[in-house]
Amino acid sequence: MDPRLLRYFNTIKERGLEPDREKRILVELEDGRVHERPCESPDVGKARPNRFLRASDNPYEYSDPFVLQAMQVHRGSYTSGLQSIDELLERDNQREKDGFPRKIRVGRLIKPGKGGKGKIVVVPTTVEEKFIHDMSFDPSDDEPVAGGSGEGEEGEIVGEQPVHEEGGPGSGPGEGGGEPHEMESSAYDLGKILSEQFELPNIKDKGKKRFLSRYTYEMTDKNPGVGQFLDKKATLRKIVETNISLGNLPDPGDIDPSRFLISPKDKIYRILSREKAYESQAMVFFLRDYSGSMEGKPTQLVVSQHVLIYSWLLYEYARQVESRFILHDTEATEVPDFYTYYNSKVAGGTRVSSAFRLVNEIVEKENLARDYNIYIFHGTDGDDWDTGGKEALPELKKILAYSNRVGITIAEHTYGASTSTEVERYIKDSGLLERHPDLLRLDVIREDAAETRLIEGIKKLIS
Amino acid sequence: MELVDQHIKEIMEGCKERARAVGLRFPDETLEYIVTNRDLLELSPKLMIPTLYDYWVHDVDVLKEKGKYELYPVNPYETVINTRPAISFYNDNNPDWLNVMIFYHVLAHIDFFQNNLFFRHTWDYDFTGQALSDKRLIARLRSEHGRWLDYVIEFVRGIDNLVGYYHDLSHLNHTSEATWSKRVNFYFDVFIQTINKLKIHEYVKEIDRYNDCMKKYEELGEELFFSEVDLKYPEFKEVFRKSLEKKPERKADLIELLIECSQFLNKDENEWMKSVLQVVRNTSLFFQPQIRTKIMNEGWASYWHETLFMQDDRIEGHEVEFARVHAGVTSMPRVGMNPYALGMHLFYYIEELVEKGRYSLEFRRISDARRREKFDAGTGQGRDFIFKIRENYCDFMFINTFLEQDFITRKKLFVAGRRLNKDKKVYEYYIKSRKIEDYRKTVLDSLYHPPNIEIDLDKNKNNTLYLNHHFEERPLVKEFITNTMIGIEYLWGGPVQLETSEFVSASPSTGQSYYSVGLPSAQEAGKEPTGEWQRVLYTMENRKLSRKTI
């Protein structure tokens, strides 16, 4: 048992706990599980004995950021890369009308899924055609060769590589985006259906000013002494300043520029700067309680609801919405993508405030409140070790000061149905719902709720 | 994306001092930016040039299986870009000692960019600034012409690997020819060489005679020289006069030709397209030297980051960490080729050989292996020599000239072959050869080499553009021919023909489609090649492709 948790447990116990809550907390406290994610494919995790690793024999595949700094260039998913796949296909249709052959290939990738079940994912690809040599062609010798180094006689075998290693069709190198990519793709399709069938209310229709989180690169930053090009106006101003302070400009009415003294630092240059393209936008935080008590139905509900919201945002606001994902038990942690968020297993205790605090920290640190509409969706079973929300409420109040909407979903356990849950109780008691009807929404669902109920829930949260 | 803080900048400035002290040359000013993964995501399709123009293909997953670097002829993600001032990109959590290493690497790259003559055409302007104005131009044109702008970009990009890079370069590195008159140049360069086809000794005699005349009679020398020429070749005057009337023949590359001569582009309403062609061409030209010097550039940078890091007094205590990273960067893989390693070791090897005076007749005459091993003339010129190489060579010349058997033997390099073992269902990699000829060929074959396609103006009839692909024992990728030619036809505004070579195999074709991924099993059996090369002519007219054998 984590001693820190135990200490925390003792503090809240001193504050007073009902016996059955104490029992529930103790169950979570003694829960030995850890948050893990399911294996992405059945193969992962199994050691591949003596697998022969072959380096590239193409010198152009090596490059500094990877080799020297171990930087990772994540391949962006196409949904974030383009405004939408529809636009892409629309573009392709238009090509045909304009008399040019279609250029976008909608490829189907089969990804090995959980339990050996393959999933088909649709990925648009294209290629830029040029006159190039067919490097794979060699009529005289159909045996590919590569460079190599090390000991051994001519003729000696230095390594072996299974013939069918690459898995399903289309999953060659570079295509191995893995599951997160797939998650986005299917979420995208789902979002499309949602938007069509359920007519979810639009965040856009609220008339909020939206900032897009895209960037453009401009040369607006100023830098004295060095840079890409000279800002003549600013430079001249600086020179005049310098000369005034040097007393080299006795009569402002009669300036002789040829007498100016110019210091190297007087030259003001423009350098590259990253500018936000102000078109629109919002930041959405997804918060999920993944404590031990969330096991089973509540997690499923919360996660499916968040999938729905996420899918819908992805579809409706393609690249205009940024999402952040936070998981919490007694500690909150930010995870990089929806896949991790979706798949991390439940374990540990519950402290809602930790997640709220993390949101506050992120918002403050990155100064998000200024540039973004901030939406927060929190899913929990309503259980919180923090009685009366002593820690959670102050954090929540802070959030309400800058956010555009906080939607809390409580998936109630059936066993706790007689009384309302801890989170529900302290939020209702706090009076925040009445004071900020526009900012804070609470939706309580039973753990046996159906999907339609979830959609209604979303409507309630975002209307 | 923001500039590095003062602490890191100070480290950089320290590196600059030390790098200068050993002879690297680069401008005082550089800009270092911290980049996040998010920045990289946006920068990488734009080849790390933040201001490159927008183009939708950058946003789509691009198929890059076969011949990928032939299609995308750039080192996609360099840490440093060749701009004025040079810009480099860093992780924000690199430890100081690692930054020292990377800074040396980057400084050596900058030194290479700014001193290697293959980069000559990039020295006089800042590409980020140029790209930004191009990007604005493209954005404006897109708002005016919509999708047609993207078509034009697409079509020009289809031929942007055929830019006349060497031609442009040769102009920049040309010495002035003004000291002789046109008549003298024509006489010696064209008339007696190509028209009269004099033998070499006769040619030399003429030069002697010319020099004599100039010495004896000074200003009148040339007239006197030609009075004798007129007697000998009465037709010379007339031929020379005609040659002056002819427009000087300039070898334009395909994009230039389109800009100058395309009837379609020269219509008033299409004039705007020409600037798009220019933008794409300039961008392509900018990147050409980079891909032609990959092994040298990385080798040079690795050589210096190792040399300078080991001498640096600021990094004591991090030698082991450095060794780990450095070994990862510069180790030769068991199968595969690492340009960092190959280039670096070759630079060290050349330096050592020159240092010992082994590029000499004296050394080459020695056949006794033991004496060869001991030979050391102690010239002390090794480093000067590699500086000359970094200035004057590109990858092809570097590998072709300096890769030799002793190096292969010392570094235990070999050519690996791959064959199918049907019983074990595996591909076996085995040591195929340790001979220099084979290894050199393998390396050279892996270098970037766009097809040599020339415009044949003589066959250019009835507004038909005739392209001639010179045979280099490789066919073009067939699947790409149609769309590329549709693009050229569009830009040219008339039919386009392409003459190329194709291998026609006698047995039923096992030709594999570009888009089918996976390994063909039938081809691996080691069949005897049967078939022959054929010249074929593709004609693109009204967006229909036809093919005939010549």
PDB file of all heavy atoms in Angstrom, chain A residues 52-55 62 146-153 156-159, chain B residues 331-337 412-416 429-431 434:
ATOM      1  N   PHE A  52      16.327 -10.407 -36.396  1.00  0.00           N
ATOM      2  CA  PHE A  52      17.421  -9.737 -37.079  1.00  0.00           C
ATOM      3  C   PHE A  52      17.002  -8.330 -37.452  1.00  0.00           C
ATOM      4  O   PHE A  52      16.035  -8.117 -38.166  1.00  0.00           O
ATOM      5  CB  PHE A  52      17.775 -10.536 -38.330  1.00  0.00           C
ATOM      6  CG  PHE A  52      18.797  -9.871 -39.182  1.00  0.00           C
ATOM      7  CD1 PHE A  52      20.086  -9.702 -38.703  1.00  0.00           C
ATOM      8  CD2 PHE A  52      18.472  -9.417 -40.439  1.00  0.00           C
ATOM      9  CE1 PHE A  52      21.026  -9.088 -39.488  1.00  0.00           C
ATOM     10  CE2 PHE A  52      19.417  -8.805 -41.227  1.00  0.00           C
ATOM     11  CZ  PHE A  52      20.693  -8.651 -40.751  1.00  0.00           C
ATOM     12  N   LEU A  53      17.717  -7.395 -36.913  1.00  0.00           N
ATOM     13  CA  LEU A  53      17.384  -6.006 -37.209  1.00  0.00           C
ATOM     14  C   LEU A  53      18.252  -5.503 -38.340  1.00  0.00           C
ATOM     15  O   LEU A  53      19.463  -5.560 -38.279  1.00  0.00           O
ATOM     16  CB  LEU A  53      17.621  -5.139 -35.975  1.00  0.00           C
ATOM     17  CG  LEU A  53      16.484  -5.156 -34.968  1.00  0.00           C
ATOM     18  CD1 LEU A  53      16.878  -4.358 -33.764  1.00  0.00           C
ATOM     19  CD2 LEU A  53      15.213  -4.606 -35.588  1.00  0.00           C
ATOM     20  N   ARG A  54      17.607  -5.027 -39.338  1.00  0.00           N
ATOM     21  CA  ARG A  54      18.363  -4.562 -40.476  1.00  0.00           C
ATOM     22  C   ARG A  54      18.293  -3.045 -40.556  1.00  0.00           C
ATOM     23  O   ARG A  54      17.218  -2.468 -40.564  1.00  0.00           O
ATOM     24  CB  ARG A  54      17.763  -5.170 -41.721  1.00  0.00           C
ATOM     25  CG  ARG A  54      18.575  -4.857 -42.896  1.00  0.00           C
ATOM     26  CD  ARG A  54      18.001  -5.468 -44.137  1.00  0.00           C
ATOM     27  NE  ARG A  54      18.655  -4.751 -45.197  1.00  0.00           N
ATOM     28  CZ  ARG A  54      18.128  -4.595 -46.378  1.00  0.00           C
ATOM     29  NH1 ARG A  54      16.959  -5.097 -46.659  1.00  0.00           N
ATOM     30  NH2 ARG A  54      18.769  -3.927 -47.291  1.00  0.00           N
ATOM     31  N   ALA A  55      19.451  -2.413 -40.603  1.00  0.00           N
ATOM     32  CA  ALA A  55      19.448  -0.959 -40.724  1.00  0.00           C
ATOM     33  C   ALA A  55      19.148  -0.590 -42.163  1.00  0.00           C
ATOM     34  O   ALA A  55      19.191  -1.430 -43.050  1.00  0.00           O
ATOM     35  CB  ALA A  55      20.800  -0.409 -40.315  1.00  0.00           C
ATOM     36  N   TYR A  62      18.645   8.582 -42.914  1.00  0.00           N
ATOM     37  CA  TYR A  62      19.209   9.054 -41.661  1.00  0.00           C
ATOM     38  C   TYR A  62      19.077  10.565 -41.601  1.00  0.00           C
ATOM     39  O   TYR A  62      19.297  11.236 -42.600  1.00  0.00           O
ATOM     40  CB  TYR A  62      20.694   8.714 -41.597  1.00  0.00           C
ATOM     41  CG  TYR A  62      20.984   7.242 -41.447  1.00  0.00           C
ATOM     42  CD1 TYR A  62      20.895   6.381 -42.521  1.00  0.00           C
ATOM     43  CD2 TYR A  62      21.360   6.726 -40.214  1.00  0.00           C
ATOM     44  CE1 TYR A  62      21.166   5.027 -42.386  1.00  0.00           C
ATOM     45  CE2 TYR A  62      21.639   5.382 -40.067  1.00  0.00           C
ATOM     46  CZ  TYR A  62      21.547   4.536 -41.152  1.00  0.00           C
ATOM     47  OH  TYR A  62      21.815   3.217 -41.003  1.00  0.00           O
ATOM     48  N   ALA A 146      22.954  -4.778 -50.255  1.00  0.00           N
ATOM     49  CA  ALA A 146      23.049  -3.648 -49.352  1.00  0.00           C
ATOM     50  C   ALA A 146      24.465  -3.603 -48.819  1.00  0.00           C
ATOM     51  O   ALA A 146      25.240  -4.541 -49.011  1.00  0.00           O
ATOM     52  CB  ALA A 146      22.071  -3.811 -48.202  1.00  0.00           C
ATOM     53  N   GLY A 147      24.797  -2.526 -48.146  1.00  0.00           N
ATOM     54  CA  GLY A 147      26.097  -2.447 -47.509  1.00  0.00           C
ATOM     55  C   GLY A 147      26.080  -3.219 -46.213  1.00  0.00           C
ATOM     56  O   GLY A 147      25.028  -3.601 -45.707  1.00  0.00           O
ATOM     57  N   GLY A 148      27.248  -3.455 -45.651  1.00  0.00           N
ATOM     58  CA  GLY A 148      27.290  -4.132 -44.366  1.00  0.00           C
ATOM     59  C   GLY A 148      28.672  -4.016 -43.792  1.00  0.00           C
ATOM     60  O   GLY A 148      29.598  -3.557 -44.456  1.00  0.00           O
ATOM     61  N   SER A 149      28.831  -4.389 -42.538  1.00  0.00           N
ATOM     62  CA  SER A 149      30.158  -4.327 -41.956  1.00  0.00           C
ATOM     63  C   SER A 149      30.297  -5.382 -40.879  1.00  0.00           C
ATOM     64  O   SER A 149      29.312  -5.849 -40.319  1.00  0.00           O
ATOM     65  CB  SER A 149      30.414  -2.943 -41.349  1.00  0.00           C
ATOM     66  OG  SER A 149      29.635  -2.777 -40.195  1.00  0.00           O
ATOM     67  N   GLY A 150      31.521  -5.739 -40.600  1.00  0.00           N
ATOM     68  CA  GLY A 150      31.790  -6.688 -39.525  1.00  0.00           C
ATOM     69  C   GLY A 150      32.559  -7.889 -40.006  1.00  0.00           C
ATOM     70  O   GLY A 150      33.004  -7.956 -41.152  1.00  0.00           O
ATOM     71  N   GLU A 151      32.734  -8.835 -39.090  1.00  0.00           N
ATOM     72  CA  GLU A 151      33.541 -10.014 -39.367  1.00  0.00           C
ATOM     73  C   GLU A 151      32.791 -10.969 -40.280  1.00  0.00           C
ATOM     74  O   GLU A 151      31.576 -10.888 -40.421  1.00  0.00           O
ATOM     75  CB  GLU A 151      33.858 -10.746 -38.051  1.00  0.00           C
ATOM     76  CG  GLU A 151      34.543  -9.901 -36.999  1.00  0.00           C
ATOM     77  CD  GLU A 151      35.993  -9.625 -37.334  1.00  0.00           C
ATOM     78  OE1 GLU A 151      36.527 -10.330 -38.215  1.00  0.00           O
ATOM     79  OE2 GLU A 151      36.570  -8.697 -36.738  1.00  0.00           O
ATOM     80  N   GLY A 152      33.523 -11.918 -40.807  1.00  0.00           N
ATOM     81  CA  GLY A 152      32.885 -12.979 -41.580  1.00  0.00           C
ATOM     82  C   GLY A 152      33.523 -13.184 -42.930  1.00  0.00           C
ATOM     83  O   GLY A 152      34.082 -12.267 -43.516  1.00  0.00           O
ATOM     84  N   GLU A 153      33.462 -14.415 -43.391  1.00  0.00           N
ATOM     85  CA  GLU A 153      33.996 -14.750 -44.712  1.00  0.00           C
ATOM     86  C   GLU A 153      32.930 -14.462 -45.757  1.00  0.00           C
ATOM     87  O   GLU A 153      31.735 -14.435 -45.439  1.00  0.00           O
ATOM     88  CB  GLU A 153      34.342 -16.236 -44.762  1.00  0.00           C
ATOM     89  CG  GLU A 153      35.450 -16.657 -43.818  1.00  0.00           C
ATOM     90  CD  GLU A 153      36.789 -16.058 -44.229  1.00  0.00           C
ATOM     91  OE1 GLU A 153      37.112 -16.121 -45.434  1.00  0.00           O
ATOM     92  OE2 GLU A 153      37.484 -15.522 -43.353  1.00  0.00           O
ATOM     93  N   GLU A 156      29.272 -16.171 -45.914  1.00  0.00           N
ATOM     94  CA  GLU A 156      28.739 -16.466 -44.592  1.00  0.00           C
ATOM     95  C   GLU A 156      27.411 -15.735 -44.370  1.00  0.00           C
ATOM     96  O   GLU A 156      27.236 -14.598 -44.779  1.00  0.00           O
ATOM     97  CB  GLU A 156      29.746 -15.991 -43.547  1.00  0.00           C
ATOM     98  CG  GLU A 156      29.683 -16.729 -42.245  1.00  0.00           C
ATOM     99  CD  GLU A 156      30.837 -16.279 -41.336  1.00  0.00           C
ATOM    100  OE1 GLU A 156      32.002 -16.383 -41.765  1.00  0.00           O
ATOM    101  OE2 GLU A 156      30.556 -15.822 -40.222  1.00  0.00           O
ATOM    102  N   ILE A 157      26.488 -16.429 -43.706  1.00  0.00           N
ATOM    103  CA  ILE A 157      25.200 -15.804 -43.421  1.00  0.00           C
ATOM    104  C   ILE A 157      25.311 -14.939 -42.171  1.00  0.00           C
ATOM    105  O   ILE A 157      25.807 -15.380 -41.149  1.00  0.00           O
ATOM    106  CB  ILE A 157      24.116 -16.876 -43.240  1.00  0.00           C
ATOM    107  CG1 ILE A 157      23.876 -17.559 -44.575  1.00  0.00           C
ATOM    108  CG2 ILE A 157      22.825 -16.254 -42.719  1.00  0.00           C
ATOM    109  CD1 ILE A 157      23.058 -18.809 -44.488  1.00  0.00           C
ATOM    110  N   VAL A 158      24.873 -13.705 -42.275  1.00  0.00           N
ATOM    111  CA  VAL A 158      25.004 -12.814 -41.129  1.00  0.00           C
ATOM    112  C   VAL A 158      23.673 -12.530 -40.450  1.00  0.00           C
ATOM    113  O   VAL A 158      23.634 -11.963 -39.362  1.00  0.00           O
ATOM    114  CB  VAL A 158      25.657 -11.471 -41.529  1.00  0.00           C
ATOM    115  CG1 VAL A 158      27.085 -11.696 -41.959  1.00  0.00           C
ATOM    116  CG2 VAL A 158      24.869 -10.790 -42.620  1.00  0.00           C
ATOM    117  N   GLY A 159      22.591 -12.889 -41.061  1.00  0.00           N
ATOM    118  CA  GLY A 159      21.324 -12.629 -40.398  1.00  0.00           C
ATOM    119  C   GLY A 159      20.162 -13.211 -41.164  1.00  0.00           C
ATOM    120  O   GLY A 159      20.279 -13.539 -42.343  1.00  0.00           O
TER     121      GLY A 159
ATOM    122  N   SER B 331      28.179   4.292 -35.748  1.00  0.00           N
ATOM    123  CA  SER B 331      28.559   2.887 -35.888  1.00  0.00           C
ATOM    124  C   SER B 331      28.067   2.381 -37.235  1.00  0.00           C
ATOM    125  O   SER B 331      27.035   2.791 -37.743  1.00  0.00           O
ATOM    126  CB  SER B 331      27.956   2.058 -34.766  1.00  0.00           C
ATOM    127  OG  SER B 331      26.560   2.113 -34.840  1.00  0.00           O
ATOM    128  N   MET B 332      28.840   1.486 -37.790  1.00  0.00           N
ATOM    129  CA  MET B 332      28.440   0.860 -39.043  1.00  0.00           C
ATOM    130  C   MET B 332      27.460  -0.265 -38.726  1.00  0.00           C
ATOM    131  O   MET B 332      27.777  -1.143 -37.924  1.00  0.00           O
ATOM    132  CB  MET B 332      29.659   0.257 -39.734  1.00  0.00           C
ATOM    133  CG  MET B 332      30.627   1.291 -40.238  1.00  0.00           C
ATOM    134  SD  MET B 332      30.115   1.872 -41.846  1.00  0.00           S
ATOM    135  CE  MET B 332      31.613   2.658 -42.407  1.00  0.00           C
ATOM    136  N   PRO B 333      26.293  -0.254 -39.317  1.00  0.00           N
ATOM    137  CA  PRO B 333      25.366  -1.346 -39.030  1.00  0.00           C
ATOM    138  C   PRO B 333      25.853  -2.649 -39.665  1.00  0.00           C
ATOM    139  O   PRO B 333      26.628  -2.634 -40.608  1.00  0.00           O
ATOM    140  CB  PRO B 333      24.067  -0.884 -39.675  1.00  0.00           C
ATOM    141  CG  PRO B 333      24.464   0.100 -40.710  1.00  0.00           C
ATOM    142  CD  PRO B 333      25.753   0.710 -40.269  1.00  0.00           C
ATOM    143  N   ARG B 334      25.391  -3.759 -39.100  1.00  0.00           N
ATOM    144  CA  ARG B 334      25.784  -5.063 -39.642  1.00  0.00           C
ATOM    145  C   ARG B 334      25.326  -5.179 -41.102  1.00  0.00           C
ATOM    146  O   ARG B 334      26.090  -5.565 -41.960  1.00  0.00           O
ATOM    147  CB  ARG B 334      25.129  -6.166 -38.791  1.00  0.00           C
ATOM    148  CG  ARG B 334      25.589  -7.567 -39.135  1.00  0.00           C
ATOM    149  CD  ARG B 334      27.012  -7.825 -38.671  1.00  0.00           C
ATOM    150  NE  ARG B 334      27.338  -9.243 -38.668  1.00  0.00           N
ATOM    151  CZ  ARG B 334      28.484  -9.737 -39.101  1.00  0.00           C
ATOM    152  NH1 ARG B 334      29.396  -8.927 -39.592  1.00  0.00           N
ATOM    153  NH2 ARG B 334      28.722 -11.028 -39.040  1.00  0.00           N
ATOM    154  N   VAL B 335      24.089  -4.857 -41.343  1.00  0.00           N
ATOM    155  CA  VAL B 335      23.619  -4.775 -42.729  1.00  0.00           C
ATOM    156  C   VAL B 335      22.920  -3.430 -42.896  1.00  0.00           C
ATOM    157  O   VAL B 335      22.024  -3.110 -42.131  1.00  0.00           O
ATOM    158  CB  VAL B 335      22.638  -5.904 -43.080  1.00  0.00           C
ATOM    159  CG1 VAL B 335      22.082  -5.700 -44.481  1.00  0.00           C
ATOM    160  CG2 VAL B 335      23.317  -7.247 -42.969  1.00  0.00           C
ATOM    161  N   GLY B 336      23.352  -2.688 -43.875  1.00  0.00           N
ATOM    162  CA  GLY B 336      22.789  -1.357 -44.064  1.00  0.00           C
ATOM    163  C   GLY B 336      23.922  -0.361 -44.189  1.00  0.00           C
ATOM    164  O   GLY B 336      25.088  -0.724 -44.057  1.00  0.00           O
ATOM    165  N   MET B 337      23.598   0.869 -44.475  1.00  0.00           N
ATOM    166  CA  MET B 337      24.654   1.848 -44.627  1.00  0.00           C
ATOM    167  C   MET B 337      24.308   3.132 -43.890  1.00  0.00           C
ATOM    168  O   MET B 337      23.245   3.697 -44.066  1.00  0.00           O
ATOM    169  CB  MET B 337      24.878   2.166 -46.090  1.00  0.00           C
ATOM    170  CG  MET B 337      26.138   2.960 -46.293  1.00  0.00           C
ATOM    171  SD  MET B 337      26.480   3.240 -48.014  1.00  0.00           S
ATOM    172  CE  MET B 337      25.053   4.136 -48.519  1.00  0.00           C
ATOM    173  N   LYS B 412      36.282  -3.404 -42.403  1.00  0.00           N
ATOM    174  CA  LYS B 412      35.554  -4.685 -42.497  1.00  0.00           C
ATOM    175  C   LYS B 412      34.194  -4.508 -43.186  1.00  0.00           C
ATOM    176  O   LYS B 412      33.181  -5.007 -42.721  1.00  0.00           O
ATOM    177  CB  LYS B 412      35.337  -5.292 -41.120  1.00  0.00           C
ATOM    178  CG  LYS B 412      36.615  -5.513 -40.335  1.00  0.00           C
ATOM    179  CD  LYS B 412      36.350  -6.492 -39.206  1.00  0.00           C
ATOM    180  CE  LYS B 412      37.595  -6.783 -38.402  1.00  0.00           C
ATOM    181  NZ  LYS B 412      37.798  -5.880 -37.277  1.00  0.00           N
ATOM    182  N   LEU B 413      34.196  -3.775 -44.250  1.00  0.00           N
ATOM    183  CA  LEU B 413      32.925  -3.560 -44.954  1.00  0.00           C
ATOM    184  C   LEU B 413      32.689  -4.663 -45.957  1.00  0.00           C
ATOM    185  O   LEU B 413      33.631  -5.276 -46.458  1.00  0.00           O
ATOM    186  CB  LEU B 413      32.958  -2.206 -45.671  1.00  0.00           C
ATOM    187  CG  LEU B 413      33.206  -1.014 -44.759  1.00  0.00           C
ATOM    188  CD1 LEU B 413      33.239   0.274 -45.572  1.00  0.00           C
ATOM    189  CD2 LEU B 413      32.129  -0.913 -43.689  1.00  0.00           C
ATOM    190  N   PHE B 414      31.453  -4.908 -46.237  1.00  0.00           N
ATOM    191  CA  PHE B 414      31.140  -5.894 -47.267  1.00  0.00           C
ATOM    192  C   PHE B 414      29.819  -5.561 -47.935  1.00  0.00           C
ATOM    193  O   PHE B 414      29.052  -4.733 -47.444  1.00  0.00           O
ATOM    194  CB  PHE B 414      31.100  -7.311 -46.675  1.00  0.00           C
ATOM    195  CG  PHE B 414      30.096  -7.499 -45.568  1.00  0.00           C
ATOM    196  CD1 PHE B 414      28.752  -7.706 -45.858  1.00  0.00           C
ATOM    197  CD2 PHE B 414      30.503  -7.490 -44.236  1.00  0.00           C
ATOM    198  CE1 PHE B 414      27.835  -7.894 -44.837  1.00  0.00           C
ATOM    199  CE2 PHE B 414      29.583  -7.673 -43.217  1.00  0.00           C
ATOM    200  CZ  PHE B 414      28.248  -7.869 -43.507  1.00  0.00           C
ATOM    201  N   VAL B 415      29.591  -6.215 -49.045  1.00  0.00           N
ATOM    202  CA  VAL B 415      28.296  -6.106 -49.701  1.00  0.00           C
ATOM    203  C   VAL B 415      27.466  -7.289 -49.234  1.00  0.00           C
ATOM    204  O   VAL B 415      27.900  -8.435 -49.332  1.00  0.00           O
ATOM    205  CB  VAL B 415      28.448  -6.141 -51.231  1.00  0.00           C
ATOM    206  CG1 VAL B 415      27.073  -6.137 -51.884  1.00  0.00           C
ATOM    207  CG2 VAL B 415      29.264  -4.960 -51.700  1.00  0.00           C
ATOM    208  N   ALA B 416      26.310  -6.988 -48.710  1.00  0.00           N
ATOM    209  CA  ALA B 416      25.440  -8.060 -48.231  1.00  0.00           C
ATOM    210  C   ALA B 416      24.440  -8.410 -49.316  1.00  0.00           C
ATOM    211  O   ALA B 416      23.888  -7.534 -49.968  1.00  0.00           O
ATOM    212  CB  ALA B 416      24.724  -7.631 -46.961  1.00  0.00           C
ATOM    213  N   TYR B 429      20.587 -13.019 -45.039  1.00  0.00           N
ATOM    214  CA  TYR B 429      21.546 -12.009 -45.453  1.00  0.00           C
ATOM    215  C   TYR B 429      22.920 -12.624 -45.329  1.00  0.00           C
ATOM    216  O   TYR B 429      23.240 -13.221 -44.298  1.00  0.00           O
ATOM    217  CB  TYR B 429      21.434 -10.772 -44.573  1.00  0.00           C
ATOM    218  CG  TYR B 429      20.161 -10.010 -44.819  1.00  0.00           C
ATOM    219  CD1 TYR B 429      19.003 -10.310 -44.127  1.00  0.00           C
ATOM    220  CD2 TYR B 429      20.126  -9.003 -45.773  1.00  0.00           C
ATOM    221  CE1 TYR B 429      17.827  -9.634 -44.372  1.00  0.00           C
ATOM    222  CE2 TYR B 429      18.953  -8.312 -46.027  1.00  0.00           C
ATOM    223  CZ  TYR B 429      17.814  -8.630 -45.329  1.00  0.00           C
ATOM    224  OH  TYR B 429      16.657  -7.943 -45.579  1.00  0.00           O
ATOM    225  N   TYR B 430      23.692 -12.527 -46.368  1.00  0.00           N
ATOM    226  CA  TYR B 430      25.016 -13.142 -46.303  1.00  0.00           C
ATOM    227  C   TYR B 430      26.043 -12.193 -46.904  1.00  0.00           C
ATOM    228  O   TYR B 430      25.701 -11.229 -47.604  1.00  0.00           O
ATOM    229  CB  TYR B 430      25.012 -14.481 -47.041  1.00  0.00           C
ATOM    230  CG  TYR B 430      24.786 -14.342 -48.526  1.00  0.00           C
ATOM    231  CD1 TYR B 430      25.853 -14.414 -49.420  1.00  0.00           C
ATOM    232  CD2 TYR B 430      23.510 -14.119 -49.023  1.00  0.00           C
ATOM    233  CE1 TYR B 430      25.645 -14.270 -50.773  1.00  0.00           C
ATOM    234  CE2 TYR B 430      23.298 -13.969 -50.377  1.00  0.00           C
ATOM    235  CZ  TYR B 430      24.366 -14.039 -51.250  1.00  0.00           C
ATOM    236  OH  TYR B 430      24.164 -13.875 -52.589  1.00  0.00           O
ATOM    237  N   ILE B 431      27.277 -12.475 -46.593  1.00  0.00           N
ATOM    238  CA  ILE B 431      28.349 -11.625 -47.102  1.00  0.00           C
ATOM    239  C   ILE B 431      28.600 -11.998 -48.546  1.00  0.00           C
ATOM    240  O   ILE B 431      29.048 -13.096 -48.846  1.00  0.00           O
ATOM    241  CB  ILE B 431      29.622 -11.812 -46.259  1.00  0.00           C
ATOM    242  CG1 ILE B 431      29.332 -11.422 -44.810  1.00  0.00           C
ATOM    243  CG2 ILE B 431      30.758 -10.990 -46.828  1.00  0.00           C
ATOM    244  CD1 ILE B 431      30.453 -11.714 -43.856  1.00  0.00           C
ATOM    245  N   ARG B 434      33.584  -8.782 -50.571  1.00  0.00           N
ATOM    246  CA  ARG B 434      34.369  -7.781 -49.861  1.00  0.00           C
ATOM    247  C   ARG B 434      35.276  -7.032 -50.828  1.00  0.00           C
ATOM    248  O   ARG B 434      36.300  -6.474 -50.435  1.00  0.00           O
ATOM    249  CB  ARG B 434      35.195  -8.453 -48.758  1.00  0.00           C
ATOM    250  CG  ARG B 434      34.375  -8.890 -47.559  1.00  0.00           C
ATOM    251  CD  ARG B 434      35.269  -9.394 -46.443  1.00  0.00           C
ATOM    252  NE  ARG B 434      34.523  -9.842 -45.288  1.00  0.00           N
ATOM    253  CZ  ARG B 434      34.095  -9.037 -44.300  1.00  0.00           C
ATOM    254  NH1 ARG B 434      34.319  -7.744 -44.363  1.00  0.00           N
ATOM    255  NH2 ARG B 434      33.442  -9.546 -43.279  1.00  0.00           N
TER     256      ARG B 434
END
